[in-house]
């Protein structure tokens, strides 16, 4: 059981305080704004590849598509591990500012990529999306830590909600970001040429990051983080070397290694299925809707429609969670992850039996999206519930990096498997992966104890 520090459960000012709309908005922008940018940028890659296939058909072969997508996840893994540790060592605020700047910079540089014989555009995108990925990766542990410790910061006093609810809102912002990508591309395609469309789609990802940056410049470091760094002898701990501090943090995590292992494996297997399908929705859309008379531009436009549908379903699922799952004890996270992964495995098995052009497949993919996004919520917030402030950011970073390692593997090999053997083989692999995830989540992740996230 995690024992909360006083700074996590008490407000800094004396007396009863009314819920502050401004404080709640600042918290959502500071924490959720980063997740909004993450969702937008990760989904933008999928839709932009669909457009670039039409512009550069000879260059953008399947393995290069996988490389562009996977470079983002490679950067994300690095960012999760790096900023997860730095968040506990130097604090949430400076790290959150750095991740917002990197995410915005990566988005703008991606949008400015140009064709060159010496440095082809696809390799430029690999480089800039990797930079973007480092910023995105840092957002996961830092943003989740900010949300879970919101009651300990003077900037967020009087917020109208509990830390657990704001963790759910954080996850919702990710899906809203993914939906916004589809809206931007769908709205721009009829009136703009394709070159402007993909540049707009990538460059617009800087907007939510800059909004989050502005909010983070206004916020104060949480008291929970400050208290975690105090010593009885001299008040605030004197600065130690990063290596020594990191060793101390890992010692705190050590007794809960079994929980962390379970979270790492569950997140890894979940992301393999989620991003394997989610990052190549344009490929799935082409297999289902493409007609012999379709041009690549027609396929890209249909991919935007399909992305609207897919991400809308996910937003609805997460809105349901945010409205009705108000406590970590309302449902068993262990049981929910087990049942959800089992349902995903069963659905992938059903997909194999369906005709690739069947509209039944579209309906079942919507069901798959809703179930998978609910699993992702529990996998994402559980590390924040199991670890104390002194090691929380590092633990979240390690678990999240394991998840994105699964996404990296999946996005790298999915287009090649689909190109060689078809969508049905891909779905069979995902069914097996989800089934393994069932037993991992059940056997290694215990129920959450305590209610400090509800205060």
């Amino acid at each position: 059981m995690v024992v909360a520090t006083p700074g996590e459960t008490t407000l800094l000012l004396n007396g009863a305080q009314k819920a502050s709309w401004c404080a709640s908005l600042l918290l959502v922008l500071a924490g959720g704004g980063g997740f909004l940018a993450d969702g937008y940028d990760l989904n933008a890659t999928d839709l932009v590849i669909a457009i670039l296939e039409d512009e550069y058909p000879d260059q953008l072969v399947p393995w290069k598509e996988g490389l562009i997508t996977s470079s983002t996840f490679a950067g994300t893994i690095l960012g999760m591990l790096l900023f997860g540790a730095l968040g506990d060592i130097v604090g949430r605020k400076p790290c959150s500012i750095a991740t917002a700047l990197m995410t915005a910079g990566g988005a703008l540089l991606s949008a400015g990529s140009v064709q060159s014989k010496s440095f082809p555009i696809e390799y430029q995108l690999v480089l800039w999306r990797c930079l973007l990925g480092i910023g995105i990766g840092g957002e996961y542990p830092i943003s989740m830590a900010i949300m879970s410790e919101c009651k300990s910061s003077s900037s967020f006093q009087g917020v109208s909600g509990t830390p657990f609810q704001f963790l759910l809102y954080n996850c919702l912002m990710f899906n809203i970001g993914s939906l916004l990508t589809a809206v931007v591309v769908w709205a721009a395609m009829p009136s703009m040429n394709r070159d402007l469309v993909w540049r707009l789609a990538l460059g617009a990802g800087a907007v939510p990051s800059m909004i989050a940056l502005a909010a983070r410049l206004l916020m104060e470091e949480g008291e929970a983080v400050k208290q975690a760094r105090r010593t009885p002898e001299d008040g605030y701990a004197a600065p130690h070397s990063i290596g020594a501090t990191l060793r101390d943090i890992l010692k705190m995590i050590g007794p809960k290694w079994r929980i962390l292992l379970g979270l790492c494996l569950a997140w890894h297997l979940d992301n393999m299925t989620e991003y394997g399908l989610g990052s190549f929705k344009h490929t799935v859309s082409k297999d289902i809707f493409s007609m012999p008379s379709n041009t690549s531009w027609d396929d890209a436009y249909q991919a935007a429609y399909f992305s609207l549908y897919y991400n809308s379903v996910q937003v609805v699922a997460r809105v349901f969670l945010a409205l009705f799952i108000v406590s970590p004890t309302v449902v068993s996270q262990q049981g929910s992850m087990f049942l959800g992964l089992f349902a995903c495995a069963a659905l992938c098995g059903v997909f194999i039996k369906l005709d690739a052009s069947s509209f039944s497949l579209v309906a079942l993919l919507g069901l798959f999206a809703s179930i998978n996004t609910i699993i992702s919520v529990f996998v994402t917030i559980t590390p924040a519930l199991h670890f104390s402030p002194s090691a929380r950011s590092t633990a979240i970073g390690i678990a999240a990096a394991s998840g994105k390692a699964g996404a990296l593997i999946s996005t790298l090999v999915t287009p090649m498997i689909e190109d060689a053997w078809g969508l049905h083989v891909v779905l069979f692999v995902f069914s097996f992966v989800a089934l393994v995830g069932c037993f991992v989540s059940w056997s290694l992740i215990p129920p959450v104890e305590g209610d400090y996230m509800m205060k």
Side-chain angles (χ1 to χ4, degrees):
M1 176 177 175
V2 177
V3 179
T5 62
E8 281 194 282
T9 57
T10 57
L11 297 175
L12 297 180
L13 298 183
N14 295 324
Q17 303 232 349
K18 293 183 180 180
S20 169
W21 182 85
C22 290
S24 299
L25 178 61
L26 181 65
L27 175 59
V28 170
L29 293 178
F35 259 48
L36 180 71
D38 292 359
Y40 183 96
D41 290 321
L42 289 175
N43 192 49
T45 305
D46 170 57
L47 292 176
V48 165
I49 286 176
I51 298 171
L52 291 176
E53 281 180 344
D54 184 57
E55 275 206 78
Y56 306 100
D58 296 328
Q59 289 179 237
L60 218 61
V61 294
W63 73 266
K64 287 184 178 180
E65 291 182 19
L67 187 62
I68 293 171
T69 305
S70 298
S71 67
T72 307
F73 291 119
T76 301
I77 293 169
L78 176 60
M80 287 169 169
L81 294 172
L82 175 64
F83 285 103
L86 289 176
D88 286 328
I89 296 171
V90 303
R92 320 301 193 216
K93 181 174 179 176
C95 288
S96 69
I97 292 171
T99 57
L101 287 172
M102 294 184 73
T103 306
L108 293 174
L109 288 168
S110 297
S113 300
V114 294
Q115 180 63 295
S116 168
K117 289 184 179 180
S118 59
F119 192 19
I121 191 168
E122 61 268 29
Y123 295 121
Q124 293 177 48
L125 287 171
V126 168
L127 176 63
W128 301 134
R129 299 313 277 181
C130 184
L131 174 65
L132 172 87
I134 296 174
I136 289 175
E139 288 288 351
Y140 273 76
I142 300 301
S143 181
M144 296 301 283
I146 289 173
M147 287 296 200
S148 62
E149 297 155 7
C150 61
K151 291 297 181 74
S152 75
S153 172
S154 59
S155 303
F156 307 132
Q157 285 195 19
V159 291
S160 52
T162 67
F164 181 79
Q165 288 174 316
F166 280 109
L167 287 173
L168 291 178
Y169 299 154
N170 221 22
C171 295
L172 174 61
M173 293 292 277
F174 181 92
N175 286 104
I176 291 175
S178 297
L179 182 60
L180 283 176
T181 314
V183 171
V184 168
V185 173
W186 173 78
M189 287 184 80
S191 57
M192 294 184 179
N193 67 58
R194 60 203 64 183
D195 187 68
L196 287 177
V197 171
W198 72 261
R199 294 183 188 280
L200 172 65
L202 294 181
V207 175
S209 295
M210 297 309 292
I211 294 173
L213 174 64
R216 289 166 182 181
L217 289 171
L218 296 174
M219 77 178 193
E220 297 295 331
E221 191 73 85
E223 186 66 17
V225 179
K226 294 177 182 178
Q227 288 182 351
R229 300 170 68 189
R230 288 177 180 156
T231 62
E233 294 78 19
D234 58 2
Y236 288 104
H240 299 296
S241 70
I242 290 179
T245 306
L246 183 58
R247 284 195 295 271
D248 291 340
I249 292 170
L250 293 176
K251 287 179 182 177
M252 298 176 198
I253 294 175
K256 296 187 175 182
W257 68 268
R258 187 172 179 272
I259 297 175
L260 185 59
L261 175 62
L263 291 168
C264 287
L265 291 174
W267 208 332
H268 181 90
L269 296 168
D270 170 68
N271 276 194
M272 285 191 74
T273 57
E274 180 181 8
Y275 286 96
L277 281 178
S279 294
F280 293 95
K281 292 186 291 293
H282 70 281
T283 302
V284 177
S285 172
K286 186 187 297 185
D287 284 349
I288 296 173
F289 300 115
S290 186
M291 304 291 290
S293 59
N294 275 16
T295 63
S296 297
W297 186 247
D298 293 329
D299 288 336
Y301 199 54
Q302 286 177 341
Y305 270 113
F306 185 71
S307 184
L308 274 172
Y309 161 72
Y310 193 91
N311 288 296
S312 295
V313 170
Q314 291 188 317
V315 167
V316 170
R318 290 202 176 178
V319 166
F320 170 80
L321 283 179
L323 291 176
F324 298 106
I325 308 301
V326 296
S327 165
T329 58
V330 168
V331 295
S332 164
Q333 290 171 299
Q334 181 189 47
S336 297
M337 283 189 276
F338 176 85
L339 293 174
L341 286 163
F342 184 82
C344 287
L347 280 173
C348 286
V350 172
F351 294 159
I352 297 170
K353 300 295 183 181
L354 293 177
D355 184 355
S357 62
S358 170
F359 280 89
S360 299
L361 183 57
V362 178
L364 286 174
L365 279 171
L367 181 59
F368 175 88
S370 62
I371 294 172
N372 196 272
T373 196
I374 290 172
I375 300 168
S376 296
V377 168
F378 288 116
V379 170
T380 302
I381 67 177
T382 300
L385 302 176
H386 276 289
F387 293 90
S388 62
S390 54
R392 180 174 289 147
S393 180
T394 303
I396 296 172
I398 293 171
S402 178
K404 288 303 172 286
L408 171 64
I409 294 170
S410 187
T411 54
L412 188 61
V413 302
T414 294
M416 292 184 280
I417 294 175
E418 195 276 338
D419 184 60
W421 295 293
L423 180 61
H424 286 66
V425 174
V426 172
L427 293 170
F428 177 81
V429 172
F430 288 160
S431 177
F432 176 77
V433 167
L435 200 58
V436 173
C438 292
F439 298 101
V440 167
S441 61
W442 186 261
S443 59
L444 292 178
I445 303 175
V448 175
E449 298 178 6
D451 63 349
Y452 68 96
M453 285 289 180
M454 299 307 301
K455 299 177 181 179

